[in-house]
């Protein structure tokens, strides 16, 4: 699989490219936001399976680059940054990032995140379910088109956010254990994904403007509280 590595530090890029190559990735290195955007233009080469995007770029902010990438298509984007606060992570997800890795990171963690992202279905692929959509008060979740709307207004979600919401919404009121959610949405048992789960829940609450929709069950997991119609 082709991977676009957006990193302005040549030493970091060389070391990381070597690790990724050992795991079977064909790495293309872009040193700036503009190089990254040019690399993503339609061409005869096979499309990229994922973009690994460092936020500290010399020509433009990585958040801006992420937004431009998302407008051009659905290629998964994993942000890599030293900004560890929850607000920064949520901002990245709001711009369309699929995941967020904080420096310094373990390479095993990074590889796990990449595989988790590329295993997820692309937009338009319906999850395994016999129902065409789910209705929860003002919230409508269309499974075939992977579209979510609140009071008729479409809400843009990343693939992982949609998968998380769809999972909880299929059994309103039922508590899903953190381990179960991570297994079904991230398809991994890697314990470090727990913090990412918290950030995605916070992002969903923010985007849907319904902070009470997803309830935290302390020490166990989360459940969706169906709103009144």
């Amino acid at each position: 699989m082709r991977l676009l590595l957006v990193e302005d530090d040549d030493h970091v890029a060389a070391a990381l490219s070597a690790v990724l190559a050992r795991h079977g990735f064909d790495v293309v290195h872009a040193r700036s936001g503009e190089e990254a955007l040019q690399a993503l233009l339609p061409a005869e080469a096979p499309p990229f399976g994922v973009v690994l995007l460092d936020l500290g770029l010399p020509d433009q902010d990585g958040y801006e680059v992420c937004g431009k990438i998302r407008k051009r298509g659905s290629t998964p984007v994993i942000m890599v940054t030293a900004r560890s606060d929850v607000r920064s992570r949520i901002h990245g997800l709001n711009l369309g990032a699929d995941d967020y890795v904080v420096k310094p990171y373990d390479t095993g963690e990074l590889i796990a995140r990449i595989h988790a992202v590329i295993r997820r279905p692309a937009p338009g692929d319906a999850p395994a379910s016999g129902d065409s959509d789910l209705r929860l008060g003002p919230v409508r979740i269309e499974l075939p088109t992977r579209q979510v709307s609140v009071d008729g207004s479409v809400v843009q979600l990343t693939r992982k956010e949609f998968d998380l919401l769809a999972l909880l919404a299929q059994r309103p009121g039922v508590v899903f254990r953190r381990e179960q959610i991570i297994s079904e949405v991230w398809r991994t048992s890697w314990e470090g994904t727990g913090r990412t789960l918290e950030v995605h829940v916070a992002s969903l609450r923010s985007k849907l403007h319904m902070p009470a929709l997803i309830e935290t069950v302390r020490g166990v997991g989360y459940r969706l509280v169906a709103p009144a119609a």
Side-chain angles (χ1 to χ4, degrees):
M1 176 175 289
R2 298 180 78 222
L3 180 149
L4 178 60
L5 173 60
V6 189
E7 169 61 64
D8 65 319
D9 188 316
D10 287 342
H11 295 291
V12 172
L16 185 53
S17 294
V19 172
L20 293 169
R22 288 198 297 271
H23 284 81
F25 291 98
D26 177 13
V27 181
V28 174
H29 176 208
R31 295 172 176 80
S32 67
E34 186 58 34
E35 282 189 29
L37 295 172
Q38 288 297 319
L40 287 165
L41 291 175
E44 296 181 1
F48 289 101
V50 64
V51 177
L52 203 56
L53 175 64
D54 186 87
L55 295 185
L57 300 174
D59 59 336
Q60 52 188 303
D61 187 83
Y63 286 125
E64 180 182 352
V65 176
C66 179
K68 291 178 180 178
I69 292 174
R70 186 52 64 237
K71 289 180 180 179
R72 294 186 179 188
S74 59
T75 305
V77 177
I78 298 178
M79 287 184 170
V80 181
T81 179
R83 306 172 196 176
S84 60
D85 61 287
V86 172
R87 181 175 297 180
S88 293
R89 297 187 189 194
I90 292 176
H91 182 51
L93 295 174
N94 285 339
L95 290 172
D98 293 86
D99 208 343
Y100 201 108
V101 179
V102 178
K103 297 177 180 178
Y105 54 80
D106 178 81
T107 53
E109 168 191 349
L110 181 62
I111 297 299
R113 296 290 185 91
I114 292 173
H115 283 296
V117 165
I118 63 180
R119 280 198 300 262
R120 292 203 305 275
D125 293 344
S129 173
D131 299 325
S132 60
D133 59 49
L134 301 170
R135 293 178 181 271
L136 301 159
V139 181
R140 180 179 181 182
I141 305 170
E142 300 178 37
L143 300 179
T145 61
R146 299 177 65 85
Q147 181 170 286
V148 174
S149 59
V150 178
D151 288 326
S153 299
V154 175
V155 180
Q156 297 297 328
L157 301 181
T158 67
R159 286 174 295 176
K160 191 178 296 184
E161 288 169 345
F162 179 90
D163 292 341
L164 172 57
L165 179 61
L167 174 66
L168 298 176
Q170 289 182 40
R171 300 177 68 187
V174 174
V175 179
F176 286 79
R177 291 178 293 105
R178 294 166 63 89
E179 297 84 357
Q180 179 184 358
I181 297 172
I182 291 171
S183 175
E184 295 195 30
V185 176
W186 277 263
R187 301 186 186 182
T188 180
S189 59
W190 183 68
E191 295 181 357
T193 312
R195 184 57 175 165
T196 297
L197 170 58
E198 294 175 3
V199 173
H200 279 74
V201 168
S203 180
L204 275 175
R205 290 168 174 163
S206 173
K207 286 185 176 182
L208 297 172
H209 300 291
M210 302 176 71
L213 181 65
I214 301 176
E215 180 183 358
T216 301
V217 181
R218 190 175 299 277
V220 182
Y222 298 93
R223 67 180 167 196
L224 188 142
V225 179

